[in-house]
């Protein structure tokens, strides 16, 4: 299924941190949603849930940036259920907010509710995860990481690490149908496809949660006695896998190497301790970019369809050095 990531011909705009929005504007251009004439912009945000350390950091960033920018934020937690996100978006439409933003828990099934927002003339901004839609007029821009690149970085590290050694990999996927799960899997497979010595012997969803990662890893250990590497689509599932590996009497990071994505504090701590071997960063601090984009959209400015966040990778030494200053 071709997912339509709308990228301007010119290039995706790689933006590190747009300036935090100013306070509630000069009171001149009244934001329709506030009604108090104070120029404060009202945003409805439909969050995925609170499933991981990354999500908690993402929520904190959005809430803090809204406060700093003088944006009135209406916030909902969908507990990882699409129907709850759709309900929240419909509620924001009824409340006539100035702008709607959300992180789609899965890629498909959004066109109907986004068309309702479009008919209500409320602009929509996607953050973190993309939607798979043929109609790119349904949203103003998508602010987030390139998950395929994240998967490629994970695979490229393993290709370098494995050399020509026969290497059996088990993959703990993110939420079924979610853009990061689909793309991190695709990127990883693409990076290892030239290395016939590397084989993914099992792949299953752990739903981005620590408990999910532990349960899946317990099952993998029972059915695959000779696992060399775990590739987990986020730190939380990798940390759950560590619990299962230790309970099986093996040493994580040595008997079984672990690669994860996110680089939240708990993951970086495990990496600095040698229990994880490599982490690909996925930046959750999207709040400032979102508020800046919202103010521009409400002011009628044109935005690039794709705003890609910058991020890096960490080995054990780099994690140890970065931990003291880590914001999340
Ligand atoms: C990625 C984000 C993913 C994180 C997980 O941008 O959507 O969801 O990698 C989180 O930790 O649950």
């Amino acid at each position: 299924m071709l997912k339509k990531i709308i990228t301007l011909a010119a290039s995706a705009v790689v933006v590190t941190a747009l300036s935090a929005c100013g306070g509630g504007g000069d009171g001149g251009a009244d934001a329709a949603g506030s009604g108090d004439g104070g120029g404060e912009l009202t945003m409805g945000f439909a969050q995925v849930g609170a499933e991981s350390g990354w999500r908690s950091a993402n929520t904190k960033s959005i809430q803090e940036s809204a406060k700093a920018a003088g944006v009135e934020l209406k916030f909902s937690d969908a507990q990882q259920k699409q129907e709850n996100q759709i309900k929240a978006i419909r509620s924001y439409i009824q409340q006539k907010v100035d702008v709607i933003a959300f992180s789609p828990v899965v890629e498909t099934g959004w066109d109907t509710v986004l068309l309702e927002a479009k008919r209500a003339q409320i602009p929509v901004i996607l953050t973190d995860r993309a939607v798979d839609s043929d109609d790119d007029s349904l949203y103003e821009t998508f602010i987030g990481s390139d998950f395929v690149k994240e998967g490629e970085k994970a695979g490229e590290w393993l290709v370098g690490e494995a050399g020509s050694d026969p290497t059996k990999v088990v993959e703990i996927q993110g939420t079924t149908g979610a853009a990061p799960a689909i793309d991190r899997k695709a990127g990883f497979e693409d990076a290892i496809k030239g290395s016939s010595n590397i084989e993914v012997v099992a792949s299953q969803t752990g739903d981005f949660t620590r408990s999910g990662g532990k349960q899946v890893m317990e099952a993998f250990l029972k059915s695959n006695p000779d696992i060399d590497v775990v590739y987990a689509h986020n730190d939380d599932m990798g940390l759950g896998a560590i619990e299962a590996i230790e309970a099986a009497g093996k040493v994580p990071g040595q008997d079984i190497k672990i690669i994860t994505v996110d680089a939240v504090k708990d993951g970086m701590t495990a990496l600095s301790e040698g229990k994880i071997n490599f982490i690909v960063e996925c930046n959750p601090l999207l709040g400032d970019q979102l508020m800046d984009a919202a103010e521009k959209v409400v002011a009628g400015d044109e935005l690039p369809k794709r705003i890609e966040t910058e991020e890096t990778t960490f080995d054990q030494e780099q994690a140890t050095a970065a931990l003291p200053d880590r914001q999340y």
Side-chain angles (χ1 to χ4, degrees), residues 83-150:
E83 63 267 26
N84 291 344
Q85 281 192 300
I86 290 172
K87 275 184 205 144
I89 292 168
R90 285 196 168 120
S91 161
Y92 297 144
I93 292 169
Q94 283 164 1
Q95 296 176 65
K96 294 184 171 44
V97 297
D98 297 305
V99 61
I100 291 170
F102 76 116
S103 169
V105 60
V106 293
E107 285 188 332
T108 55
W110 301 102
D111 281 18
T112 301
V113 72
L114 294 182
L115 197 52
E116 291 167 22
K118 184 178 177 183
R119 286 184 178 141
Q121 296 184 313
I122 299 176
V124 174
I125 295 174
L126 302 180
T127 74
D128 166 29
R129 298 182 183 179
V131 296
D132 181 3
S133 171
D134 291 330
D135 183 357
D136 68 342
S137 74
L138 293 175
Y139 54 88
E140 302 302 317
T141 188
F142 162 41
I143 304 170
S145 306
D146 181 330
F147 303 128
V148 174
K149 271 188 203 164
E150 292 173 349

Coordinates of all heavy atoms in Angstrom, one line a residue, residues 83-150:
E83 N -11.0 5.2 17.5 CA -12.4 5.7 17.7 C -12.4 6.8 18.7 O -13.2 7.8 18.5 CB -13.4 4.6 18.0 CG -13.2 3.9 19.4 CD -12.3 2.6 19.2 OE1 -11.5 2.6 18.2 OE2 -12.4 1.8 20.1
N84 N -11.6 6.8 19.7 CA -11.5 7.9 20.7 C -10.9 9.1 20.0 O -11.3 10.3 20.4 CB -10.7 7.4 21.9 CG -11.4 6.4 22.7 OD1 -12.6 6.2 22.5 ND2 -10.7 5.7 23.6
Q85 N -9.9 9.0 19.2 CA -9.3 10.1 18.5 C -10.4 10.8 17.6 O -10.5 12.0 17.5 CB -8.1 9.8 17.7 CG -6.8 9.6 18.6 CD -5.6 9.5 17.8 OE1 -5.4 8.6 16.9 NE2 -4.6 10.4 18.0
I86 N -11.1 10.0 16.9 CA -12.1 10.5 16.0 C -13.2 11.3 16.8 O -13.6 12.4 16.4 CB -12.8 9.4 15.1 CG1 -11.7 8.9 14.1 CG2 -14.0 9.8 14.4 CD1 -12.1 7.6 13.4
K87 N -13.6 10.7 17.9 CA -14.6 11.4 18.8 C -14.0 12.7 19.2 O -14.7 13.7 19.2 CB -14.9 10.5 20.0 CG -15.9 9.4 19.8 CD -16.2 8.7 21.2 CE -16.8 7.3 20.9 NZ -16.3 6.4 21.9
A88 N -12.8 12.8 19.6 CA -12.2 14.0 20.1 C -12.1 15.1 19.0 O -12.5 16.2 19.2 CB -10.8 13.7 20.6
I89 N -11.8 14.6 17.8 CA -11.7 15.6 16.7 C -13.1 16.1 16.4 O -13.3 17.4 16.2 CB -11.1 14.9 15.4 CG1 -9.6 14.6 15.6 CG2 -11.3 15.8 14.2 CD1 -9.0 13.7 14.6
R90 N -14.1 15.3 16.5 CA -15.5 15.8 16.2 C -15.9 16.7 17.3 O -16.6 17.8 17.0 CB -16.5 14.6 16.2 CG -16.4 13.8 14.9 CD -17.5 12.9 14.6 NE -17.4 12.4 13.2 CZ -17.3 11.1 12.8 NH1 -17.3 10.2 13.7 NH2 -17.2 10.8 11.5
S91 N -15.5 16.5 18.5 CA -15.8 17.4 19.6 C -15.1 18.8 19.4 O -15.7 19.8 19.6 CB -15.3 16.8 21.0 OG -15.2 17.8 22.0
Y92 N -13.9 18.7 18.9 CA -13.2 20.0 18.7 C -13.9 20.8 17.5 O -14.0 22.0 17.6 CB -11.7 19.8 18.3 CG -10.9 19.1 19.4 CD1 -9.9 18.2 19.1 CD2 -11.1 19.4 20.7 CE1 -9.2 17.6 20.1 CE2 -10.4 18.8 21.7 CZ -9.4 17.9 21.4 OH -8.7 17.3 22.4
I93 N -14.4 20.1 16.6 CA -15.1 20.7 15.5 C -16.4 21.4 16.0 O -16.6 22.6 15.7 CB -15.5 19.7 14.4 CG1 -14.3 19.2 13.6 CG2 -16.5 20.3 13.3 CD1 -14.5 18.0 12.7
Q94 N -17.1 20.7 16.9 CA -18.3 21.3 17.5 C -18.0 22.5 18.4 O -18.7 23.5 18.4 CB -19.0 20.3 18.4 CG -19.8 19.2 17.6 CD -20.2 18.0 18.4 OE1 -19.8 17.9 19.6 NE2 -20.9 17.0 17.8
Q95 N -16.8 22.5 19.0 CA -16.4 23.6 19.8 C -15.8 24.8 19.0 O -15.4 25.8 19.6 CB -15.3 23.1 20.9 CG -15.9 22.1 21.9 CD -14.8 21.6 22.8 OE1 -14.2 22.4 23.6 NE2 -14.4 20.3 22.7
K96 N -15.7 24.5 17.7 CA -15.2 25.6 16.8 C -13.8 26.1 17.2 O -13.6 27.3 17.3 CB -16.2 26.8 16.7 CG -17.5 26.4 16.1 CD -18.4 27.7 15.9 CE -19.7 27.4 15.1 NZ -20.4 26.2 15.4
V97 N -12.9 25.2 17.5 CA -11.5 25.6 17.8 C -10.9 26.2 16.5 O -11.4 26.0 15.4 CB -10.7 24.4 18.2 CG1 -11.2 23.8 19.5 CG2 -10.6 23.3 17.1
D98 N -9.8 26.9 16.7 CA -9.2 27.6 15.6 C -8.3 26.6 14.7 O -8.2 26.7 13.5 CB -8.2 28.7 16.1 CG -9.0 29.8 16.8 OD1 -9.9 30.3 16.2 OD2 -8.6 30.0 18.0
V99 N -7.8 25.6 15.4 CA -7.0 24.6 14.7 C -7.0 23.3 15.4 O -7.1 23.2 16.7 CB -5.5 25.1 14.6 CG1 -4.9 25.3 15.9 CG2 -4.6 24.2 13.7
I100 N -7.0 22.2 14.7 CA -6.9 20.8 15.3 C -5.6 20.2 14.9 O -5.1 20.4 13.8 CB -8.1 20.0 14.7 CG1 -9.4 20.4 15.2 CG2 -7.9 18.5 15.0 CD1 -10.6 19.8 14.5
A101 N -5.0 19.5 15.9 CA -3.7 18.8 15.7 C -3.9 17.4 16.3 O -4.6 17.3 17.3 CB -2.5 19.5 16.3
F102 N -3.2 16.4 15.7 CA -3.3 15.1 16.3 C -2.2 14.2 15.8 O -1.6 14.5 14.7 CB -4.7 14.4 16.1 CG -5.0 13.9 14.8 CD1 -5.2 12.5 14.6 CD2 -5.1 14.7 13.7 CE1 -5.6 12.0 13.4 CE2 -5.5 14.2 12.4 CZ -5.7 12.8 12.3
S103 N -1.9 13.1 16.5 CA -0.9 12.1 16.1 C -1.7 10.9 15.8 O -2.2 10.2 16.7 CB 0.0 11.9 17.2 OG 0.8 10.7 16.9
P104 N -2.0 10.6 14.5 CA -2.9 9.4 14.1 C -2.3 8.1 14.6 O -1.2 7.7 14.3 CB -2.9 9.5 12.6 CG -2.3 10.7 12.2 CD -1.4 11.2 13.3
V105 N -3.1 7.4 15.5 CA -2.6 6.2 16.1 C -2.3 5.1 15.0 O -1.3 4.4 15.1 CB -3.6 5.6 17.1 CG1 -5.0 5.3 16.5 CG2 -3.1 4.4 17.8
V106 N -3.1 5.1 13.9 CA -2.8 4.2 12.8 C -2.9 5.1 11.5 O -3.4 6.2 11.6 CB -3.8 3.0 12.7 CG1 -3.6 2.1 13.8 CG2 -5.3 3.5 12.6
E107 N -2.5 4.5 10.4 CA -2.4 5.4 9.1 C -3.7 5.6 8.4 O -3.9 6.6 7.8 CB -1.4 4.7 8.2 CG 0.0 4.7 8.5 CD 0.9 4.2 7.3 OE1 0.4 3.3 6.6 OE2 2.0 4.7 7.2
T108 N -4.6 4.6 8.6 CA -5.8 4.7 7.7 C -7.1 5.0 8.5 O -7.1 4.9 9.7 CB -6.0 3.3 7.0 OG1 -6.1 2.3 8.0 CG2 -4.9 3.0 6.0
G109 N -8.2 5.3 7.8 CA -9.5 5.5 8.4 C -9.8 7.0 8.9 O -10.7 7.2 9.7
W110 N -9.0 7.9 8.3 CA -9.2 9.3 8.8 C -9.9 10.2 7.8 O -10.4 11.3 8.2 CB -7.8 9.9 9.0 CG -7.0 9.1 10.1 CD1 -6.0 8.2 9.8 CD2 -7.3 9.1 11.5 NE1 -5.6 7.7 11.0 CE2 -6.3 8.2 12.0 CE3 -8.1 9.8 12.3 CZ2 -6.3 8.0 13.4 CZ3 -8.1 9.6 13.7 CH2 -7.1 8.7 14.2
D111 N -10.1 9.9 6.6 CA -10.6 10.8 5.5 C -12.0 11.4 5.9 O -12.2 12.6 5.8 CB -10.7 10.1 4.2 CG -9.4 10.0 3.5 OD1 -8.3 10.1 4.2 OD2 -9.3 9.8 2.3
T112 N -12.9 10.6 6.5 CA -14.2 11.1 6.8 C -14.2 12.2 7.8 O -14.7 13.3 7.6 CB -15.1 9.9 7.3 OG1 -15.2 8.9 6.3 CG2 -16.5 10.4 7.6
V113 N -13.5 12.0 8.9 CA -13.5 13.0 10.0 C -12.7 14.2 9.5 O -13.0 15.4 9.9 CB -13.0 12.4 11.3 CG1 -11.5 12.2 11.3 CG2 -13.4 13.4 12.5
L114 N -11.6 14.0 8.7 CA -10.8 15.1 8.3 C -11.6 16.0 7.3 O -11.5 17.2 7.2 CB -9.5 14.7 7.7 CG -8.5 14.0 8.7 CD1 -7.2 13.6 8.0 CD2 -8.3 14.9 9.9
L115 N -12.5 15.3 6.5 CA -13.3 16.1 5.6 C -14.4 16.9 6.4 O -14.7 18.1 6.0 CB -14.1 15.1 4.7 CG -14.7 15.6 3.4 CD1 -13.7 16.4 2.6 CD2 -15.3 14.5 2.6
E116 N -14.8 16.4 7.5 CA -15.7 17.2 8.4 C -15.0 18.4 8.9 O -15.6 19.5 8.9 CB -16.2 16.3 9.5 CG -17.1 15.2 9.1 CD -17.3 14.1 10.3 OE1 -17.1 14.5 11.4 OE2 -17.7 13.0 10.0
A117 N -13.8 18.3 9.3 CA -13.0 19.4 9.7 C -12.8 20.4 8.6 O -12.9 21.7 8.8 CB -11.6 19.0 10.3
K118 N -12.5 19.9 7.4 CA -12.3 20.8 6.3 C -13.6 21.6 6.0 O -13.6 22.8 5.7 CB -11.9 19.9 5.0 CG -11.6 20.7 3.8 CD -11.1 19.9 2.6 CE -10.9 20.7 1.4 NZ -10.5 19.8 0.2
R119 N -14.7 20.9 6.0 CA -16.0 21.6 5.7 C -16.4 22.6 6.8 O -17.0 23.6 6.5 CB -17.2 20.5 5.6 CG -17.1 19.7 4.3 CD -18.2 18.8 4.1 NE -18.1 18.1 2.8 CZ -18.4 16.8 2.7 NH1 -18.8 16.1 3.7 NH2 -18.2 16.2 1.5
A120 N -15.8 22.4 8.0 CA -16.0 23.3 9.1 C -15.0 24.4 9.0 O -14.9 25.3 9.9 CB -16.0 22.6 10.4
Q121 N -14.1 24.4 8.0 CA -13.1 25.4 7.8 C -12.1 25.5 9.0 O -11.7 26.5 9.4 CB -13.7 26.7 7.5 CG -14.4 26.7 6.1 CD -15.0 28.1 5.8 OE1 -15.5 28.8 6.6 NE2 -14.7 28.4 4.5
I122 N -11.8 24.3 9.6 CA -10.9 24.2 10.7 C -9.6 23.5 10.2 O -9.7 22.3 9.8 CB -11.4 23.5 11.9 CG1 -12.7 24.2 12.5 CG2 -10.3 23.4 13.0 CD1 -13.3 23.5 13.6
P123 N -8.5 24.2 10.1 CA -7.2 23.5 9.6 C -6.8 22.5 10.5 O -6.9 22.5 11.8 CB -6.2 24.7 9.5 CG -6.7 25.7 10.5 CD -8.2 25.6 10.5
V124 N -6.2 21.4 10.0 CA -5.6 20.3 10.7 C -4.1 20.1 10.5 O -3.7 20.3 9.4 CB -6.3 19.0 10.3 CG1 -5.7 17.7 11.0 CG2 -7.8 19.0 10.6
I125 N -3.4 19.9 11.6 CA -2.0 19.7 11.5 C -1.7 18.3 12.1 O -2.1 17.9 13.2 CB -1.2 20.7 12.4 CG1 -1.4 22.1 11.8 CG2 0.3 20.4 12.4 CD1 -0.8 23.3 12.6
L126 N -0.9 17.5 11.3 CA -0.5 16.2 11.8 C 0.8 16.3 12.5 O 1.7 17.0 12.0 CB -0.3 15.2 10.6 CG -1.5 15.0 9.7 CD1 -1.2 14.0 8.5 CD2 -2.7 14.5 10.4
T127 N 0.9 15.7 13.7 CA 2.2 15.7 14.3 C 2.6 14.2 14.6 O 1.8 13.4 14.9 CB 2.2 16.4 15.7 OG1 1.6 15.6 16.7 CG2 1.5 17.8 15.5
D128 N 3.9 13.9 14.6 CA 4.5 12.6 15.0 C 4.2 11.5 13.9 O 5.1 10.9 13.4 CB 3.9 12.2 16.3 CG 4.2 10.8 16.7 OD1 5.2 10.2 16.2 OD2 3.4 10.2 17.4
R129 N 3.0 11.2 13.7 CA 2.7 10.1 12.7 C 1.8 10.6 11.5 O 1.1 11.6 11.7 CB 1.8 9.0 13.4 CG 2.6 8.3 14.6 CD 1.8 7.2 15.3 NE 2.5 6.7 16.4 CZ 2.0 5.7 17.2 NH1 0.8 5.2 16.9 NH2 2.6 5.2 18.2
A130 N 2.0 9.9 10.4 CA 1.4 10.3 9.2 C 0.0 9.6 9.0 O -0.2 8.6 9.7 CB 2.3 10.1 8.0
V131 N -0.8 10.1 8.1 CA -2.0 9.3 7.6 C -1.7 8.8 6.2 O -0.9 9.4 5.5 CB -3.3 10.2 7.7 CG1 -3.6 10.7 9.1 CG2 -3.2 11.4 6.7
D132 N -2.4 7.8 5.8 CA -2.3 7.3 4.5 C -3.6 7.7 3.7 O -4.6 7.1 3.9 CB -2.2 5.7 4.5 CG -2.1 5.2 3.1 OD1 -2.0 6.0 2.2 OD2 -2.1 3.9 2.9
S133 N -3.5 8.9 3.0 CA -4.6 9.4 2.4 C -4.2 9.9 1.0 O -3.1 10.4 0.8 CB -5.2 10.6 3.2 OG -6.2 11.2 2.4
D134 N -5.2 9.8 0.0 CA -4.9 10.3 -1.3 C -5.2 11.8 -1.4 O -4.9 12.5 -2.4 CB -5.7 9.6 -2.3 CG -5.3 8.1 -2.5 OD1 -4.0 7.9 -2.3 OD2 -6.1 7.2 -2.7
D135 N -5.8 12.4 -0.3 CA -6.2 13.8 -0.4 C -5.4 14.6 0.6 O -5.7 14.7 1.7 CB -7.7 13.9 0.0 CG -8.2 15.3 -0.1 OD1 -7.4 16.2 -0.4 OD2 -9.4 15.5 0.2
D136 N -4.4 15.3 0.0 CA -3.5 16.0 0.9 C -4.0 17.4 1.3 O -3.4 18.1 2.0 CB -2.1 16.1 0.3 CG -2.1 17.1 -0.9 OD1 -3.2 17.3 -1.5 OD2 -1.0 17.5 -1.3
S137 N -5.2 17.7 0.8 CA -5.9 18.9 1.2 C -6.5 18.8 2.6 O -7.0 19.8 3.2 CB -6.9 19.4 0.2 OG -8.1 18.5 0.3
L138 N -6.5 17.6 3.1 CA -7.2 17.3 4.4 C -6.4 17.8 5.6 O -6.9 17.8 6.7 CB -7.6 15.8 4.5 CG -8.6 15.3 3.5 CD1 -8.8 13.8 3.7 CD2 -10.0 16.0 3.7
Y139 N -5.1 18.1 5.3 CA -4.3 18.6 6.4 C -3.3 19.6 5.9 O -2.9 19.6 4.7 CB -3.6 17.5 7.2 CG -2.7 16.6 6.3 CD1 -1.4 16.9 6.0 CD2 -3.3 15.4 5.7 CE1 -0.6 16.1 5.2 CE2 -2.5 14.6 4.9 CZ -1.2 14.9 4.6 OH -0.5 14.1 3.8
E140 N -2.8 20.5 6.8 CA -2.0 21.6 6.3 C -0.5 21.1 6.2 O 0.2 21.5 5.3 CB -2.1 22.8 7.3 CG -3.5 23.3 7.6 CD -4.1 23.8 6.3 OE1 -3.4 24.5 5.5 OE2 -5.3 23.4 6.0
T141 N -0.1 20.4 7.2 CA 1.3 19.9 7.2 C 1.4 18.7 8.1 O 0.6 18.5 9.0 CB 2.3 21.0 7.6 OG1 3.6 20.6 7.5 CG2 2.1 21.4 9.1
F142 N 2.5 17.9 8.0 CA 2.9 16.8 8.8 C 4.2 17.1 9.4 O 5.2 17.2 8.7 CB 2.8 15.5 8.0 CG 3.6 14.3 8.7 CD1 3.4 14.1 10.1 CD2 4.4 13.5 8.0 CE1 4.1 13.1 10.7 CE2 5.1 12.5 8.6 CZ 4.9 12.2 10.0
I143 N 4.2 17.2 10.8 CA 5.5 17.5 11.5 C 5.9 16.3 12.2 O 5.2 15.7 13.1 CB 5.3 18.6 12.6 CG1 4.7 19.9 12.0 CG2 6.6 18.9 13.3 CD1 4.2 20.9 13.0
G144 N 7.1 15.7 11.8 CA 7.5 14.5 12.5 C 8.7 13.9 11.9 O 9.3 14.4 10.9
S145 N 9.1 12.7 12.4 CA 10.4 12.1 12.0 C 10.1 11.3 10.7 O 9.0 11.0 10.3 CB 10.8 11.1 13.0 OG 11.0 11.8 14.3
D146 N 11.2 10.9 10.1 CA 11.2 10.0 8.9 C 11.5 8.6 9.5 O 12.6 8.2 9.8 CB 12.3 10.4 7.9 CG 12.2 9.5 6.7 OD1 11.9 8.3 6.8 OD2 12.5 9.9 5.6
F147 N 10.4 7.8 9.7 CA 10.6 6.5 10.3 C 11.3 5.5 9.5 O 11.9 4.6 10.0 CB 9.2 6.0 10.7 CG 8.4 6.9 11.6 CD1 7.1 7.2 11.3 CD2 8.9 7.4 12.8 CE1 6.3 8.1 12.1 CE2 8.2 8.2 13.6 CZ 6.9 8.6 13.3
V148 N 11.2 5.6 8.2 CA 12.0 4.7 7.3 C 13.5 4.9 7.5 O 14.2 4.0 7.7 CB 11.6 4.9 5.8 CG1 12.5 4.1 4.9 CG2 10.1 4.6 5.5
K149 N 13.8 6.2 7.6 CA 15.3 6.5 7.9 C 15.7 5.9 9.2 O 16.8 5.4 9.4 CB 15.5 8.0 7.9 CG 15.8 8.7 6.6 CD 16.2 10.1 6.9 CE 16.0 11.0 5.6 NZ 16.0 12.4 5.9
E150 N 14.8 6.0 10.2 CA 15.1 5.4 11.5 C 15.4 3.9 11.4 O 16.3 3.4 12.0 CB 14.0 5.7 12.5 CG 13.8 7.2 12.9 CD 12.6 7.5 13.7 OE1 11.7 6.6 13.9 OE2 12.5 8.6 14.2

